Amino acid sequence: MDRLAMLNEILSQNPDDAFARYGLAMEYSKSGEVERALAEFGKLLSTHPDYTAGYFMAAQTLVSAHRDDEAKKMLVDGISSARRTGNAHAQSEMTAMLEELKSS
């Protein structure tokens, strides 16, 4: 069973599985399926708003699709999530990415 099938199977049994939802979004992102990836990131973040890595990877997906304004908003939301959860490393990475986008 390939990764997509495996992750979809997990999600069919437990749609709120944050790790599987994140994995599915990442698989779509890696294969260039931007809209599908963003839909999965959206589902992930709507049910797990403190899944901080989801914001960062969604922002990277948006940047790869040249959707910088959407990426900036995703990063702002992600920085808020990182602050809420005390994830200083993620906050620092997203802040740096946001500053880079603002200056380009």
Side-chain angles (χ1 to χ4, degrees), residues 88-104:
H89 178 74
Q91 182 179 342
S92 173
E93 284 188 328
M94 287 188 279
T95 299
M97 186 177 178
L98 180 59
E99 293 304 316
E100 186 177 314
L101 285 172
K102 284 180 177 178
S103 67
S104 61

Side-chain angles (χ1 to χ4, degrees), residues 25 28-29 33-44 57-59 61-62 65 67 70 74:
Y28 285 138
S29 181
E33 295 182 67
V34 172
E35 292 309 318
R36 290 181 91 175
L38 293 173
E40 295 302 327
F41 283 125
K43 290 176 191 174
L44 169 68
M57 297 313 295
T61 300
L62 287 161
R67 292 164 62 175
E70 292 171 83
M74 187 66 67

Side-chain angles (χ1 to χ4, degrees), residues 55-56 58-64 66-78 94 97-98 101:
Y55 295 95
F56 188 48
Q60 288 186 344
T61 300
L62 287 161
V63 167
S64 72
H66 309 288
R67 292 164 62 175
D68 291 2
D69 288 340
E70 292 171 83
K72 289 174 193 174
K73 182 185 180 333
M74 187 66 67
L75 289 166
V76 167
D77 293 345
M94 287 188 279
M97 186 177 178
L98 180 59
L101 285 172

